[in-house]
Amino acid sequence: MNRKTKKIVYKILDTDEYAREDDNYLIFRVLNEMTGINKETGIWYVLNSMKFKGISFESITRHRRKWIELHPEIKVKAKEKRKEEEQEYYLEYARRI
């Protein structure tokens, strides 16, 4: 297990609102910072880098959940935003029927 993962995840979550909502984006940002990958990097290289550096998807998402627990005001905003998006989707879908 890599001990720097928590610091990096918390730093990204403090600055990037989109990373708070999307686990895949957060994982990409963490891997980008820890291994230097970009969008063109091959999956084999990414997985090997994770193995050798001791990074796991589960640890990244676990740290995100812990960060959300420590910042409950952020969780409320995310729930409200999700509810608004669901309402917009419902209205859009209802128009097509």
Side-chain angles (χ1 to χ4, degrees):
M1 182 174 94
N2 193 320
R3 300 200 184 272
K4 295 188 327 182
T5 306
K6 181 178 179 180
K7 288 182 196 176
I8 293 172
V9 169
Y10 280 25
K11 183 178 84 169
I12 291 171
L13 291 173
D14 285 335
T15 58
D16 192 348
E17 290 183 22
Y18 187 65
R20 298 173 191 164
E21 301 168 9
D22 189 357
D23 283 343
N24 292 324
Y25 178 73
L26 175 62
I27 290 168
F28 172 75
R29 289 281 315 269
V30 170
L31 291 175
N32 186 14
E33 187 144 337
M34 294 181 80
T35 63
I37 67 164
N38 57 31
K39 293 179 182 177
E40 287 80 31
T41 306
I43 188 70
W44 178 251
Y45 177 79
V46 172
L47 295 176
N48 266 341
S49 297
M50 289 176 65
K51 178 181 175 184
F52 292 123
K53 294 190 184 248
I55 307 166
S56 72
F57 296 132
E58 292 84 13
S59 67
I60 294 170
T61 56
R62 189 178 321 113
H63 289 308
R64 182 191 62 81
R65 289 191 302 269
K66 182 65 176 175
W67 187 87
I68 294 287
E69 283 181 20
L70 296 173
H71 299 86
E73 69 280 358
I74 301 296
K75 188 175 184 178
V76 171
K77 290 179 186 176
K79 281 186 178 180
E80 290 173 359
K81 184 175 180 183
R82 190 174 309 119
K83 188 174 182 179
E84 289 174 9
E85 289 175 354
E86 287 175 358
Q87 183 65 23
E88 289 175 16
Y89 177 80
Y90 174 75
L91 292 173
E92 181 67 29
Y93 182 74
R95 287 185 204 138
R96 293 182 188 168
I97 293 180

